[in-house]
Amino acid sequence: MSDEFDLVTIGAGSGGVAASRRAAAHGAKVAIIEARRVGGTCVLRGCVPKKLLMYAAQFGDAFAESRGYGWSLDSAPRFEMARWAAAKAAETARLEGVYRQLLAGSGVELVEGRGRIVGSGIVEVGKRILKARHILVATGGAPVIDSIPGIEACATSDDLLDLQELPASAAVIGSGFIAAEFASMLARLGAKVTMAYRAELPLRGFDEMLRRAAAELLNAAGVELLPHAAPKAVRRTAGGFELEFARGTREFPWVLNATGRRPNSAGLGPLAIGPDGAVKVDEHLRTSVERVWAIGDVTNRKNLTPVAIAEGRALADSLFGPTPRQVDLGRVASAVFTIPPLASIGPTEEEAVAAGHGLKVFEADFRPMKTAFVGGSERTRMKLLVDAANDCVLAVSMAGTDAPEIVQSLAVALSAGATKADFDRTIAVHPTAAEEFVLMREVTRRQVAKEPEPSLGEP
Ligand code: NDP
């Protein structure tokens, strides 16, 4: 087989596979290089297995609530991590097979090994040399294991998803996506969880309403929250790990390091790398080297699977299709799969005001029907940010059951530029939680736009 290609992609995760298949659909001759398993973080070590664990964890609540709905459970339900792990391994293996078939079916050649750019348009994989008109770097990211002295001995989310036994008690370090999601799941599955983090509230970067809701739901699940308490050091002990805090030490049998992820940019070749380890790209996804492009987590911009896929397809369309195009990362929805989950699209209230928007803020806060019926204290919270100047809905946030599904649908309305008047004349689907978004009539508060900061050097 000839080793000359129109496109050689390094990394067969969601972004790399999407870009390669789209390029092949445009008639390009494509090879994709993968050093581990085909499917990448999302399919094998991230979104998919994480969500399968979330479903497992949700059953705990379902069993408890079912009694209030008239069910009797003859014996206490019991969760066996090993059975879940075996089923998960089978499912991810199936999905890996699907990915391999998709590549083969699209005419993309899979080359197994580690790819390295060794010259202009030349990629080395073991002993094989591939010549490429274009090279795409889509190598993703990996957990940070040097954030705190000694933390390299702790488990990462990769290890958690392969556990054969649920730890009886666990510490989670960090309060980002991975920390919040796994603290919530571990607690629902029956572990005693402590979450230690350096901020006041979890989920830095999210709207304050969601951050407060996250703290509240974790607390309600029995998670011990330790804000302003990032450990200074981690030490191995006979029984597990000792975490050294400013105010003393604590011991845990098992610790999850959830202190972030870093781009897989080492050893790729002569590309400009930023201080965060990211491959630097411009708005066209062009790296510092001619005809070498990069997408997804390795560029450390918006580290979300759909973003990597969208970037990959846009790049393939631009390089090999009739119409070059770019992806707009300005307004991307995201969700945190805690139980219940959180989701949002658009700026936070603070960001919107700082960006010069006067706001009408609409909020709803209620007990959802399903859990209220059985005396539960769970609350659903919703927020709309409306631009006071033109009635445009700038942002939607929700904490509560089905928040990711609801926000996904509303994201279409926001992409289409929906106004509050559009929301108001939409007839509700009843009884749902989502209907609250079209029934918000009273302004909760108004925010005055902030004057833009004067630029440096202005008198
Ligand atoms: P995040 O960047 O979301 O969170 C990292 C956490 O680690 C923060 O709480 C941060 O604290 C903390 N931290 C970093 N360094 C230190 C340190 N030295 N000491 C103590 N704490 C520290 O990373 P995640 O790993 O949770 O997720 C990585 C990315 O993966 C996310 O940004 C997201 O894009 C993606 N992801 C998306 C998911 C989804 O869509 N549902 C799920 C999981 C991941 P501080 O806030 O104080 O800086």
Side-chain angles (χ1 to χ4, degrees):
M1 193 173 288
S2 157
D3 277 349
E4 290 190 13
F5 296 90
D6 296 310
L7 176 70
V8 168
T9 301
I10 308 178
S14 304
V17 167
S20 301
R21 294 184 63 222
R22 179 62 63 91
H26 286 303
K29 184 170 180 239
V30 185
I32 190 165
I33 303 170
E34 176 54 55
R36 295 170 79 184
R37 291 171 59 194
V38 175
T41 301
C42 174
V43 173
L44 303 168
R45 297 175 289 279
C47 323
V48 171
K50 177 274 301 289
K51 193 138 187 218
L52 294 174
L53 191 64
M54 184 205 78
Y55 286 133
Q58 278 180 337
F59 279 102
D61 288 345
F63 289 132
E65 287 161 10
S66 71
R67 295 173 203 275
Y69 278 91
W71 287 87
S72 297
L73 301 174
D74 293 336
S75 59
R78 205 161 42 89
F79 174 68
E80 287 171 52
M81 188 86 190
R83 279 179 49 210
W84 176 83
K88 182 270 303 184
E91 178 62 0
T92 51
R94 184 185 74 80
L95 292 172
E96 184 182 358
V98 170
Y99 265 65
R100 282 174 180 270
Q101 272 168 15
L102 288 174
L103 287 172
S106 314
V108 175
E109 185 186 345
L110 174 64
V111 181
E112 303 199 46
R114 192 163 288 282
R116 216 169 84 80
I117 303 165
V118 291
S120 177
I122 302 179
V123 183
E124 180 188 79
V125 193
K127 291 203 172 94
R128 198 167 158 192
I129 297 289
L130 308 181
K131 288 192 185 151
R133 233 167 24 100
H134 296 279
I135 297 171
L136 172 60
V137 175
T139 47
V144 170
I145 54 166
D146 59 1
S147 46
I148 296 169
I151 203 165
E152 67 280 1
C154 300
T156 64
S157 54
D158 295 3
D159 304 313
L160 191 162
L161 291 165
D162 281 333
L163 279 181
Q164 296 299 308
E165 205 176 325
L166 188 72
S169 91
V172 173
I173 307 176
S175 63
F177 280 82
I178 291 179
E181 290 180 345
F182 285 117
S184 172
M185 289 176 214
L186 289 173
R188 298 293 168 135
L189 290 169
K192 188 173 173 309
V193 181
T194 298
M195 190 164 135
Y197 49 97
R198 51 191 185 186
E200 165 72 21
L201 290 168
L203 295 172
R204 187 163 54 84
F206 279 83
D207 193 279
E208 176 141 345
M209 179 198 83
L210 295 183
R211 299 183 70 186
R212 290 193 183 285
E216 188 182 291
L217 72 89
L218 289 166
N219 204 31
V223 176
E224 178 192 17
L225 297 179
L226 301 181
H228 305 298
K232 291 192 290 184
V234 179
R235 281 181 288 275
R236 282 218 85 125
T237 61
F241 300 89
E242 183 183 70
L243 304 190
E244 183 190 327
F245 294 102
R247 274 171 261 137
T249 60
R250 294 266 305 262
E251 244 191 281
F252 297 90
W254 191 86
V255 177
L256 177 68
N257 164 15
T259 56
R261 293 176 62 84
R262 190 172 288 152
N264 285 329
S265 58
L268 282 170
L271 301 175
I273 308 288
D276 56 349
V279 171
K280 288 188 181 173
V281 286
D282 66 9
E283 69 277 20
H284 302 286
L285 304 165
R286 196 183 282 134
T287 69
S288 59
V289 175
E290 212 191 331
R291 290 185 292 114
V292 178
W293 315 83
I295 56 166
D297 288 11
V298 76
T299 66
N300 200 22
R301 296 172 323 149
K302 276 214 160 66
N303 299 333
L304 300 168
T305 301
V307 170
I309 292 173
E311 287 177 343
R313 288 185 178 150
L315 182 69
D317 288 346
S318 302
L319 295 180
F320 305 108
T323 338
R325 61 186 186 90
Q326 280 170 250
V327 177
D328 177 9
L329 295 185
R331 199 147 50 171
V332 177
S334 67
V336 185
F337 290 92
T338 44
I339 305 169
L342 318 168
S344 69
I345 179 165
T348 67
E349 193 171 329
E350 245 183 358
E351 286 167 349
V353 171
H357 295 284
L359 294 179
K360 286 193 265 180
V361 182
F362 294 83
E363 287 180 333
D365 179 346
F366 56 93
R367 287 203 303 156
M369 191 187 207
K370 184 179 171 208
T371 49
F373 181 69
V374 294
S377 58
E378 186 179 312
R379 302 201 72 83
T380 292
R381 294 195 171 84
M382 296 170 166
K383 188 188 223 182
L384 285 184
L385 300 183
V386 178
D387 192 325
N390 58 15
D391 200 41
C392 245
V393 180
L394 294 173
V396 172
S397 304
M398 175 175 174
T401 303
D402 296 330
E405 309 288 340
I406 293 167
V407 168
Q408 170 67 92
S409 303
L410 290 179
V412 180
L414 266 66
S415 295
T419 60
K420 181 66 169 62
D422 294 322
F423 275 59
D424 291 346
R425 65 188 165 76
T426 302
I427 305 287
V429 178
H430 184 71
T432 63
E435 69 182 301
E436 284 303 317
F437 274 121
V438 297
L439 295 173
M440 292 169 158
R441 293 291 182 271
E442 300 293 322
V443 177
T444 309
R445 67 184 159 277
R446 288 169 196 272
Q447 295 272 22
V448 180
K450 266 201 182 143
E451 288 293 323
E453 296 279 328
S455 62
L456 286 176
E458 224 176 333

